[in-house]
Amino acid sequence: MSDTPNWKEKTILVVEDEEMTRFFFKTALQMTQVNLLFAKNGMEGVTMAQQNRNIDCVLMDIRLPGIDGYEATRQIKANRKDLPVIAQTAYALSGDRNKAFESGCDEFITKPIRILNLFEILTKYLR
């Protein structure tokens, strides 16, 4: 893609328990040169977001083992209110979008995720 963003100075934390989805993000975002960090559950995501001040954005799965993405987002935002969190889920039920925003998420995208849509949303937060 000729208009592929260059985010080599940026870091995204992907909080995702599904290996296939982690692989999707790694593959989709590698052309942007972004630094990717991965957490496999909500608690690990909270810890990483609190310990690594270089994280510029979080891609947060909603359905996670242990604490879910809503609670993980609340905990992240308690310490880093300006860190953008983008909720992503395959199980978008009515009310999930509102629940995501109420927990502090800045955006909400549903799986399957289209790469151009992902780039468009991330561009807003990685300027």
Side-chain angles (χ1 to χ4, degrees):
M1 271 186 246
S2 59
D3 55 347
T4 300
N6 183 325
W7 293 324
K8 72 177 177 206
E9 304 295 320
K10 303 294 183 178
T11 300
I12 296 173
L13 170 61
V14 179
V15 185
E16 173 61 62
D17 61 321
E18 295 288 330
E19 190 173 338
M20 283 303 295
T21 306
R22 288 193 305 269
F23 179 77
F24 164 79
F25 283 120
K26 185 176 180 182
T27 305
L29 294 170
Q30 71 184 0
M31 66 183 86
T32 69
Q33 300 180 47
V34 72
N35 179 30
L36 288 176
L37 302 175
F38 292 94
K40 294 180 183 176
N41 61 57
M43 201 64 244
E44 188 180 357
V46 170
T47 301
M48 290 175 77
Q50 290 172 346
Q51 291 177 351
N52 187 339
R53 292 289 165 179
N54 294 327
I55 295 171
D56 298 291
C57 187
V58 178
L59 287 166
M60 177 69 70
D61 189 19
I62 294 302
R63 306 255 188 280
L64 292 165
I67 65 170
D68 65 18
Y70 302 121
E71 180 57 29
T73 298
R74 276 191 282 278
Q75 291 186 29
I76 289 169
K77 290 289 194 166
N79 293 307
R80 297 192 59 191
K81 65 178 178 4
D82 296 330
L83 179 62
V85 177
I86 300 166
Q88 39 104 8
T89 184
Y91 312 99
L93 304 171
S94 66
D96 280 356
R97 180 180 291 272
N98 286 344
K99 202 169 168 187
F101 289 124
E102 285 167 9
S103 68
C105 292
D106 299 279
E107 293 278 347
F108 184 91
I109 54 177
T110 55
K111 299 172 188 170
I113 297 167
R114 293 189 326 274
I115 294 174
L116 289 177
N117 188 33
L118 179 64
F119 281 3
E120 194 176 291
I121 290 169
L122 287 173
T123 297
K124 263 202 283 195
Y125 296 101
L126 295 179
R127 286 207 174 104

